[in-house]
Amino acid sequence: MNAVITRKRATEGLKTWLITGFAAIALALFLMPFLYMVLTSLKTDGQITESNAPIWPVAVPTFAYTGGNTNTYTVKVNKAGTLVDQTVDMNSYIGQALGVFTVKLDNGVTKNLALLNGYQKGAIFIDPKDIAAGPIVWNGGNYKALQRPWILSPTWHNYIDMWNAIKYPRLLLNTVMYAFFTTIGVLFSCILVAYGFSRFRFPFRDFLFIILISILFLPGTVTIIPTFYFFTQILHWGGTWLPLIIPSFFANPYDTFLLRQFFMTLPRELDESAMIDGASPLRILWSVIIPQSYPVIVAVTVFHIVWAWNDYFGPLIYLSTNMNAQPVSVALGRFNGIYGQHPNLIQAGALLTLIIPLLLFFAAQRFFIQGIVITGVEK
């Protein structure tokens, strides 16, 4: 009997370890792009263009030659498959920053040497610790394939450079204001519409709700031209925030659906008790429904803030003539085009943009997850 129990516990423990290990591997694979973004944001331009550089941020090792040996040498070096004489004037290298490579010499000793000249089949080095010894010839192949004694050195200044390059505080303020006002509009309108569909009986209620939900299946590209023409040519709102903020005060079907499903799980006896006490429908909504619906309201808030924070197309077409009002999503796209040769700065900007929504999710994750789980499920 004990053997059976022990075997059962071992089987359950093995299953637990397998599930945990699989989840850990899946999480690691999922977080790899994020980790790559963090590491890239801390790299220097020199590391990005350097071959054989590690993935973590390092400094390209160099040796500043200030003299100490002013002689001229003639050595035989393999340039393109044949040994040729090469003159090395040490005076010509004074004041230069020489790249440092890890070289295995003919005698089997491995040293960190500074490169004087490199060729296809060989190179000429100098030992930074023994400059008086003169040039060291290495004919072991292409010097670019050699490893370097990398030095761990995260470049935090990339964030300062990016911050100043695109006036990030202004863009951040624009994005926060955009997310704030549209969130107010979404909560105000969607709560009212969802309350009406979940608590009131009126003609064609279910049919109207089906029409509302069917809008979810309408491709957004179909309405781009008419809405753009209406806002810019008829209302003359081009270059302002109005085409982006005002529509949020007219309930969208997705958030309305989430709220309506949650409201329907609340017992109607709560409404009837409030009505007996003389509460009006709006009073019931404010004092009874909303206090019971914090989880789904937080979920809708987080959903919309993340959407507004990442919204690119709307601000791009309506604020193209007003760069000072553009949010960070549009500015980063412009920044990527200008600084395409500096992926470290691009990743630094993307990481800074990600921090605020990430902190918001962690702060509200308990209510957020509860709201998603309960929505559409009977309590």
Side-chain angles (χ1 to χ4, degrees):
M1 185 66 180
N2 292 333
V4 175
I5 295 176
T6 302
R7 191 180 303 111
K8 183 177 180 181
R9 290 179 178 177
T11 302
E12 292 177 353
L14 179 60
K15 290 181 180 179
T16 302
W17 278 104
L18 289 176
I19 294 174
T20 304
F22 177 78
I25 294 174
L27 179 62
L29 293 175
F30 182 78
L31 292 177
M32 281 180 64
F34 177 75
L35 178 61
Y36 177 81
M37 179 175 66
V38 174
L39 295 177
T40 303
S41 69
L42 297 174
K43 294 180 180 179
T44 62
D45 291 335
Q47 178 187 355
I48 292 174
T49 58
E50 189 71 29
S51 60
N52 300 326
I55 190 173
W56 55 88
V58 294
V60 178
T62 59
F63 169 68
Y65 184 70
T66 58
N69 187 339
T70 59
N71 297 327
T72 300
Y73 301 86
T74 300
V75 297
K76 288 187 176 296
V77 61
N78 190 344
K79 284 190 173 181
T82 58
L83 294 175
V84 297
D85 291 334
Q86 178 67 34
T87 301
V88 179
D89 183 7
M90 299 302 298
N91 279 324
S92 62
Y93 297 99
I94 296 177
Q96 294 187 18
L98 307 177
V100 178
F101 294 83
T102 301
V103 184
K104 186 176 183 180
L105 302 177
D106 295 337
N107 58 6
V109 178
T110 301
K111 290 185 176 182
N112 294 329
L113 304 179
L115 178 68
L116 296 177
N117 289 307
Y119 309 100
Q120 293 181 0
K121 300 293 184 178
I124 302 174
F125 296 95
I126 190 172
D127 189 351
K129 297 181 179 179
D130 190 8
I131 297 175
I136 300 174
V137 178
W138 178 77
N139 293 319
N142 194 324
Y143 73 97
K144 294 182 179 179
L146 293 172
Q147 295 296 323
R148 287 174 173 265
W150 303 105
I151 304 170
L152 180 63
S153 179
T155 309
W156 300 104
H157 202 271
N158 287 340
Y159 292 92
I160 299 177
D161 294 340
M162 186 283 308
W163 185 281
N164 296 328
I166 60 174
K167 299 179 180 179
Y168 197 83
R170 174 73 183 190
L171 300 174
L172 190 62
L173 177 62
N174 292 341
T175 309
V176 170
M177 297 300 291
Y178 175 38
F180 174 77
F181 285 114
T182 55
T183 300
I184 295 299
V186 165
L187 292 178
F188 175 79
S189 59
C190 291
I191 288 176
L192 287 177
V193 175
Y195 178 56
F197 276 118
S198 63
R199 283 305 201 255
F200 296 99
R201 298 185 181 277
F202 51 88
F204 307 108
R205 183 190 66 173
D206 295 337
F207 176 72
L208 292 176
F209 184 71
I210 292 175
I211 293 178
L212 176 67
I213 296 302
S214 66
I215 298 176
L216 287 172
F217 302 96
L218 180 66
T221 53
V222 175
T223 61
I224 290 176
I225 294 178
T227 54
F228 180 79
Y229 180 84
F230 177 76
F231 285 132
T232 59
Q233 302 300 320
I234 298 180
L235 298 181
H236 303 287
W237 285 355
T240 69
W241 284 100
L242 295 178
L244 302 171
I245 295 177
I246 298 301
S248 67
F249 285 84
F250 296 86
N252 67 79
Y254 181 76
D255 294 328
T256 300
F257 174 77
L258 289 180
L259 290 164
R260 182 251 189 187
Q261 295 301 103
F262 191 95
F263 291 167
M264 291 183 67
T265 65
L266 300 178
R268 288 185 175 271
E269 288 78 4
L270 298 174
D271 303 30
E272 295 171 356
S273 298
M275 292 175 63
I276 293 175
D277 293 336
S280 64
L282 289 180
R283 182 67 179 179
I284 294 173
L285 173 63
W286 181 258
S287 300
V288 178
I289 301 298
I290 291 180
Q292 297 290 326
S293 305
Y294 284 148
V296 70
I297 292 175
V298 171
V300 169
T301 301
V302 173
F303 270 136
H304 181 76
I305 289 178
V306 172
W307 176 86
W309 198 270
N310 296 325
D311 188 19
Y312 176 78
F313 188 74
L316 177 66
I317 62 175
Y318 290 114
L319 300 175
S320 59
T321 59
N322 187 3
M323 296 178 60
N324 291 328
Q326 291 177 349
V328 69
S329 57
V330 178
L332 276 181
R334 187 175 69 252
F335 180 78
N336 294 350
I338 299 174
Y339 292 87
Q341 301 301 320
H342 303 276
N344 48 348
L345 298 183
I346 294 175
Q347 297 298 340
L351 189 60
L352 280 180
T353 305
L354 176 66
I355 289 177
I356 293 182
L358 195 61
L359 293 177
L360 174 65
F361 173 77
F362 281 118
Q365 63 175 334
R366 183 170 65 89
F367 292 102
F368 176 77
I369 296 173
Q370 183 181 359
I372 297 301
V373 171
I374 295 178
T375 297
V377 180
E378 291 291 338
K379 290 186 177 179

